[in-house]
Amino acid sequence: MTLHHPKKPVETLTDQEMDQLLAALPLELPSARLRAHVLDLVKGPVTQKDRWWWHFGILWQPATMLAGSALFGLGLGTAWPLDPPAPTPIWEEAASIVFGPIDEEWP
Amino acid sequence: MARQTVGVGAIQADASVMARVAQQDATVWRVLADQQLGRVLLLAKRMLGNHHEAEDVTQEAFIRLWRQASHWTGEARISTWLYRVVHNLCIDRLRRHHGGLEDEESMEEPVESLFAPAWESPLVHLEQSEQRQILNEAMARLPLRHRTALVLVYVLGLHSAEAALVMRIGEDAMASLLVRSRRRLRLLLTPWRDELLGK
């Protein structure tokens, strides 16, 4: 709907009239769906979960990954033998990758 | 409407409300939602101009409030915090989905041309009184910053210092913005003064 400008001289609105008009604007009525969604938040486990993870903020996933990797490395380090295996010539490794195990005998 | 003042007592009272919310007190949460839903929705709708989008933003703001409950620092009122979140969400949404924010200075149009149809559907218009319709359309024709400032201070009743906090501008800038906003709204509404005042 288009409002047509009334071509007639009128007085300017006073500050008080403006205030009254603005204050009379009604609040919006939330839909039942929105209200239900908001009220249902109290039933969810969001707060409990956030309480656990909050210290990491949005970085809780990468922080957990780092911590997990560090623990895994620590475990691996303690379980691995201290003496490293005898070094294998690089060409032998490369050849074994390309051609298969080189110590196999030909038929 | 009496404007809210930034009182320490009110902030402390809100902090105790949030402490109860953090303990998953359903009654307190329901009261808080009933107090703030319509107000938050009004700000979002005035900023976005779309009821459905305004409801999405309102829901997101309340989810954030809920998550914030156990970490509430008590530095602001709940309402101010909510309006600030809604303001930021609306700005983000307008930037992403509506091709950026409107240029305030580009809207210096003659008064007559500002009364083209607004976003509202005819059904909505039928449901509204003429007075409210004129006011709604005039508000809709204001630049985003102008209508946001007017809604925060004159409709939702925030103190201008709180409104400045919500809009992330200085208090002097807010005072100047309010003067410009009122001047422009007065320009739009004056031709309908008699209709608006029921004369």
Side-chain angles (χ1 to χ4, degrees):
Chain A
M1 177 178 162
T2 305
L3 294 174
H4 299 287
H5 185 260
K7 301 287 185 188
K8 57 183 180 182
V10 285
E11 292 176 45
T12 305
L13 281 163
T14 65
D15 281 344
Q16 193 182 2
E17 288 166 348
M18 286 266 292
D19 288 348
Q20 284 172 357
L21 286 170
L22 285 168
L25 271 175
L27 299 182
E28 293 293 330
L29 196 64
S31 67
R33 185 194 64 88
L34 172 64
R35 192 168 181 278
H37 275 305
V38 169
L39 293 182
D40 280 352
L41 285 171
V42 82
K43 297 175 187 167
V46 179
T47 301
Q48 212 57 32
K49 193 182 86 181
D50 283 357
R51 200 172 287 163
W52 279 102
W53 293 117
W54 181 255
H55 301 294
F56 299 109
I58 58 167
L59 295 174
W60 72 267
Q61 282 176 320
T64 308
M65 283 292 290
L66 276 173
S69 301
L71 283 173
F72 179 72
L74 198 66
L76 209 61
T78 50
W80 204 256
L82 289 176
D83 295 329
T88 312
I90 292 174
W91 69 268
E92 279 185 22
E93 284 186 6
S96 70
I97 290 169
V98 176
F99 303 111
I102 55 173
D103 55 350
E104 265 185 24
E105 290 182 9
W106 291 89
Chain B
M1 181 182 294
R3 292 183 201 168
Q4 295 174 2
T5 52
V6 191
V8 177
I11 291 175
Q12 284 174 347
D14 278 0
S16 63
V17 166
M18 289 303 281
R20 298 274 298 277
V21 170
Q23 293 165 0
Q24 303 195 333
D25 187 326
T27 309
V28 171
W29 180 246
R30 179 183 293 269
V31 170
L32 180 60
D34 286 341
Q35 281 175 348
Q36 296 296 336
L37 262 177
R39 303 168 70 82
V40 170
L41 186 60
L42 180 136
L43 175 62
K45 188 173 174 183
R46 293 288 171 189
M47 288 187 73
L48 296 171
N50 178 292
H51 192 86
H52 182 71
E53 283 192 270
E55 289 221 334
D56 286 349
V57 164
T58 302
Q59 187 178 334
E60 176 63 27
F62 272 86
I63 289 171
R64 291 187 184 195
L65 180 68
W66 173 254
R67 288 177 176 168
Q68 187 66 23
S70 52
H71 324 286
W72 190 257
T73 54
E75 290 170 3
R77 298 209 61 181
I78 296 170
S79 55
T80 312
W81 190 93
L82 273 170
Y83 299 149
R84 186 165 180 164
V85 169
V86 165
H87 178 262
N88 293 345
L89 287 171
C90 289
I91 295 285
D92 287 348
R93 191 172 279 244
L94 287 167
R95 283 197 179 123
R96 266 186 288 129
H97 301 307
H98 299 269
L101 301 175
E102 62 205 21
D103 181 11
E104 185 178 310
E105 301 309 320
S106 71
M107 297 191 70
E108 295 286 353
E109 300 173 49
V111 172
E112 287 83 357
S113 70
L114 292 173
F115 281 84
W119 63 68
E120 303 280 17
S121 72
L123 188 62
V124 173
H125 285 299
L126 283 174
E127 292 168 354
Q128 293 173 335
S129 68
E130 184 187 17
Q131 183 193 46
R132 196 179 302 166
Q133 182 185 331
I134 292 168
L135 197 54
N136 279 339
E137 292 207 8
M139 289 286 281
R141 293 293 155 188
L142 288 175
L144 176 64
R145 280 161 56 83
H146 288 204
R147 63 177 184 265
T148 305
L150 287 175
V151 167
L152 286 171
V153 175
Y154 295 105
V155 182
L156 296 176
L158 261 66
H159 190 273
S160 65
E162 285 179 297
L165 205 67
V166 170
M167 294 182 72
R168 294 174 184 268
I169 59 176
E171 288 187 38
D172 290 343
M174 173 54 78
S176 166
L177 180 62
L178 284 171
V179 169
R180 294 203 309 277
S181 309
R182 285 179 67 97
R183 189 190 304 140
R184 186 171 285 194
L185 185 64
R186 179 182 281 117
L187 192 69
L188 290 168
L189 292 179
T190 290
W192 282 274
R193 183 177 181 276
D194 289 350
E195 287 84 349
L196 286 166
L197 301 178
K199 291 181 179 173

